[in-house]
Amino acid sequence: MLLEIFIAKKQILEHKKQSFIGVIGIAIGIVVLIVSLGISNGLSKNMIDSVLSLSSHIAVIDNGQIENPSKYVEKIEKISGVKGVIPKVQSQALVRYKGMFGEYVSGVKLEGIEFDKMISVMKLDEKINRGKIDTKNLKGVFLGSELFKQLGAKIGDKITIISATNKELPLTIAGSFQSGFYEYDLSMIIMPLKTAQYLTERDNTVSTIDVFLENPYDAESLAKKVEFETKLYSRSWGDMNRNLLKALALEKTVMIIGFSMIVIIAMFVVWIILNMMIREKKKYIGIMRSMGISNNSIIKIFLFQGLLIGVSGIILGTVISLGILWYVKTYSIPGISSIYYLSKVPVEITFNEIFKVIVFNLFLIVISSVFPAYKAGKLKIVEALKNE
């Protein structure tokens, strides 16, 4: 075994240029696959986190009119894995504002919530980027940060909210919030629950009961428990965003398949390099065979050559990939905030995913090395020396 490895290393050093090209080709394939996977995972997770920033993990619905929500809240809070429960009024409305840019009228999404519960369950106060929450102020509303910018508004300005039933209510801008999800920040207004109930003429009813979990990915199973306890229809965030999740999964699958082609091309490079070495070393193979070295040893020599080139490429590519991902995650990329709704490129990759990429590449390296090595091992002494 040591002899075969020694000869394999010697031949690699004799063919430095070809070996270097093989190592670099494999490293590039590894880098492209791991980096793209890490960034894709990060963007997907960032998208989901943004959607869930002000959205429930489970929504309890009863035709938009849930009476006496407190009795359901008590039942849901007893379920293991539930972090908090918030009754909510959701509605479409118009906002009218007269400011420095003239009169502004636009459709908005109203969210009527209990601020104190939203602070304790979802840490709403950490999302407020202008102003301060006053739980006793029933006339203070918070605008999404993008909507706040479009209005050219200031804290303390007056706005008018017009409900779907054409009821108008003058309110005061108490501040703005940034959820991280552009659509929310562009078109959402958060107000106290009692104010929303008055504006939408609901009395003491709510449109939904939002359930927040310790682990959002338990939503599917816990939604069934919530439905059993309340006897009301419950939907998980996965059900409510099914099209988005399918699109993200399809995008990731297509990306992996596409970038895997680069890895496969790199394996063809290894296959070509080994075949070139075999053609150049026919005489050398004949001499070794005449000296009593077996066919299996010849196969092992060229197989080890392929593996040494491949493993070197995998190690180099993995190190470079982790370095790139660390840099991207740690430092912001100039101009990215003007293109995407984030300050840094999110990165998310697990050891298991890196391990799978490495195993996949090792498998392809073995496949691309076996056939040329087998061909070298089957060369007969006469055939190897006949042209010499």
Side-chain angles (χ1 to χ4, degrees):
M1 184 71 73
L2 292 176
L3 176 64
E4 289 88 343
I5 295 174
F6 174 78
I7 295 173
K9 287 172 64 177
K10 183 176 179 294
Q11 292 199 43
I12 287 174
L13 293 174
E14 288 177 359
H15 297 80
K16 290 180 182 178
K17 289 184 179 179
Q18 295 95 322
S19 302
F20 179 75
I21 291 171
V23 170
I24 293 300
I26 293 168
I28 290 172
I30 290 281
V31 168
V32 170
L33 202 52
I34 292 180
V35 171
S36 59
L37 188 61
I39 293 176
S40 174
N41 287 345
L43 290 172
S44 297
K45 187 177 184 297
N46 181 74
M47 175 70 75
I48 292 171
D49 290 345
S50 298
V51 170
L52 295 178
S53 61
L54 288 175
S55 180
S56 62
H57 301 151
I58 299 173
V60 180
I61 306 166
D62 186 26
N63 296 323
Q65 292 284 347
I66 301 176
E67 299 180 2
N68 193 15
S70 58
K71 70 176 182 180
Y72 299 113
V73 171
E74 292 175 5
K75 292 180 179 180
I76 298 170
E77 286 178 335
K78 293 178 182 178
I79 299 173
S80 176
V82 172
K83 181 180 179 181
V85 185
I86 302 175
K88 180 186 288 185
V89 169
Q90 290 180 318
S91 180
Q92 299 293 326
L94 289 175
V95 59
R96 187 168 66 217
Y97 171 78
K98 290 183 179 179
M100 59 188 300
F101 300 133
E103 187 171 75
Y104 181 95
V105 179
S106 178
V108 293
K109 180 182 179 182
L110 294 184
E111 294 272 341
I113 57 174
E114 295 178 6
F115 284 159
D116 52 349
K117 284 192 174 183
M118 202 68 169
I119 291 171
S120 62
V121 176
M122 294 199 67
K123 298 181 180 178
L124 178 63
D125 52 330
E126 295 181 4
K127 296 179 175 65
I128 301 299
N129 60 351
R130 297 184 186 89
K132 188 176 179 181
I133 297 176
D134 181 0
T135 56
K136 295 180 180 179
N137 182 11
L138 297 180
K139 287 194 173 183
V141 299
F142 289 86
L143 280 60
S145 57
E146 296 297 324
L147 178 60
F148 189 92
K149 291 177 186 177
Q150 280 198 1
L151 294 179
K154 300 189 294 289
I155 294 174
D157 286 356
K158 301 294 182 181
I159 61 171
T160 301
I161 304 295
I162 307 168
S163 71
T165 57
N166 208 32
K167 187 173 186 176
E168 296 188 16
L169 183 64
L171 296 168
T172 303
I173 298 176
S176 68
F177 63 88
Q178 186 164 4
S179 66
F181 188 51
Y182 184 77
E183 292 301 322
Y184 290 165
D185 294 347
L186 181 64
S187 60
M188 184 180 287
I189 294 179
I190 298 175
M191 62 176 59
L193 178 62
K194 290 183 179 179
T195 305
Q197 287 174 329
Y198 172 78
L199 183 63
T200 56
E201 300 178 350
R202 283 184 173 274
D203 297 326
N204 292 320
T205 66
V206 296
S207 55
T208 63
I209 296 175
D210 284 0
V211 182
F212 298 90
L213 309 176
E214 298 291 347
N215 182 5
Y217 295 94
D218 291 336
E220 291 290 338
S221 57
L222 289 179
K224 296 177 183 177
K225 293 182 180 180
V226 170
E227 193 166 297
F228 177 79
E229 291 293 334
T230 62
K231 304 298 187 278
L232 299 176
Y233 179 56
S234 301
R235 298 181 68 194
S236 68
W237 66 269
D239 292 329
M240 292 183 283
N241 298 280
R242 192 169 297 279
N243 290 337
L244 172 63
L245 295 178
K246 285 182 178 179
L248 291 175
L250 178 61
E251 180 182 307
K252 183 177 179 180
T253 302
V254 172
M255 181 206 70
I256 291 173
I257 293 172
F259 288 133
S260 293
M261 295 299 105
I262 298 175
V263 177
I264 293 172
I265 291 170
M267 300 313 148
F268 272 113
V269 172
V270 174
W271 182 82
I272 291 169
I273 289 171
L274 289 179
N275 275 287
M276 288 173 61
M277 288 183 180
I278 291 167
R279 283 198 298 269
E280 291 176 11
K281 295 292 183 179
K282 270 190 177 183
K283 179 183 176 182
Y284 189 65
I285 294 169
I287 293 171
M288 286 192 293
R289 287 288 291 114
S290 64
M291 293 173 63
I293 295 177
S294 66
N295 288 339
N296 287 338
S297 293
I298 300 296
I299 292 172
K300 287 178 183 178
I301 289 169
F302 287 95
L303 183 60
F304 284 142
Q305 284 186 50
L307 289 176
L308 286 171
I309 292 171
V311 171
S312 300
I314 287 173
I315 294 172
L316 179 63
T318 303
V319 171
I320 293 173
S321 300
L322 295 177
I324 292 173
L325 291 177
W326 173 82
Y327 180 85
V328 168
K329 187 176 183 178
T330 306
Y331 300 100
S332 59
I333 298 177
I336 191 170
S337 58
S338 62
I339 303 172
Y340 300 103
Y341 201 58
L342 40 84
S343 58
K344 293 181 180 179
V345 176
V347 173
E348 187 77 20
I349 194 163
T350 63
F351 173 79
N352 186 43
E353 288 173 322
I354 295 174
F355 178 75
K356 286 179 179 178
V357 170
I358 291 173
V359 170
F360 172 68
N361 279 270
L362 276 174
F363 172 75
L364 291 179
I365 287 166
V366 171
I367 295 298
S368 61
S369 302
V370 162
F371 293 105
Y374 182 78
K375 178 183 175 183
K378 292 302 178 182
L379 276 174
K380 295 179 180 179
I381 297 175
V382 175
E383 183 182 350
L385 297 174
K386 67 180 180 179
N387 293 324
E388 300 298 328

